[in-house]
Amino acid sequence: MALENTPGQQILLNLLDAFNKDTQTVLSLFDPTATVEYPYAKSIGSAYRLTMDDYRRHLDNILPDMPDIIFSELNVYPLAEQDSYWAEFHGETKVPATGDLYQQDYVVHFRLESGKFIYYKEYWNVLPVLKTLMGKDKAQQIIDNHLS
């Protein structure tokens, strides 16, 4: 990944690296008053607007299911508003509980304040989450329930 070294690119690289470490390393990149949003999580009944306490609990639950996640295809786009960015990247890992390959493409909007995330909004496809992390049978049941 050959990138210009802007604050947005560097902190996002730090975040992606931190996901392979631990919850505290991830949280150290965020301002204590920051918010994290997952707009599509609402469609599967999950929390979608998180405080840092909520985010800590979320990370404690999800990071063990994403060991050694590999991120690629990173692009970061600075916006006119200072310290505000759009980014996109791909992630994949093998889920320990099932052995299935989890693959996801992400689009994120984030803002920095004093070199830390103050706002982080991540868009992702719910289908890989349902199929891989929840199990294919349970995912199909959820999809069927939403269609009926």
Side-chain angles (χ1 to χ4, degrees):
M1 268 183 253
L3 300 172
E4 295 177 36
N5 194 12
T6 66
Q9 290 165 331
Q10 189 57 57
I11 195 165
L12 191 56
L13 282 170
N14 293 348
L15 178 63
L16 299 180
D17 183 56
F19 285 132
N20 283 311
K21 294 182 179 170
D22 56 41
T23 296
Q24 191 53 46
T25 304
V26 173
L27 292 175
S28 73
L29 301 171
F30 287 81
D31 183 271
T33 63
T35 57
V36 173
E37 293 184 22
Y38 299 118
Y40 299 138
K42 187 175 185 178
S43 69
I44 58 172
S46 293
Y48 61 95
R49 188 171 292 130
L50 309 174
T51 65
M52 286 297 96
D53 286 338
D54 299 329
Y55 193 44
R56 173 185 307 280
R57 286 188 293 277
H58 171 71
L59 291 170
D60 285 343
N61 287 327
I62 197 78
L63 289 181
D65 290 329
M66 305 178 0
D68 304 317
I69 190 166
I70 298 169
F71 294 102
S72 61
E73 303 172 36
L74 176 64
N75 291 296
V76 178
Y77 309 98
L79 300 175
E81 179 186 344
Q82 185 176 355
D83 292 329
S84 188
Y85 302 85
W86 279 103
E88 56 188 356
F89 50 91
H90 177 81
E92 59 183 67
T93 187
K94 190 172 279 197
V95 178
T98 63
D100 291 337
L101 181 63
Y102 173 74
Q103 296 184 68
Q104 184 68 261
D105 292 310
Y106 302 89
V107 174
V108 298
H109 174 240
F110 62 95
R111 286 192 312 267
L112 304 176
E113 190 173 283
S114 301
K116 293 192 176 222
F117 291 102
I118 190 69
Y119 173 79
Y120 183 89
K121 188 173 193 174
E122 183 179 283
Y123 298 87
W124 38 264
N125 184 345
V126 298
L127 290 178
V129 173
L130 291 174
K131 288 182 177 177
T132 306
L133 298 179
M134 299 176 83
K136 291 177 184 169
D137 293 337
K138 186 173 181 181
Q140 191 61 53
Q141 181 182 17
I142 291 170
I143 292 167
D144 291 344
N145 286 341
H146 281 298
L147 295 177
S148 56

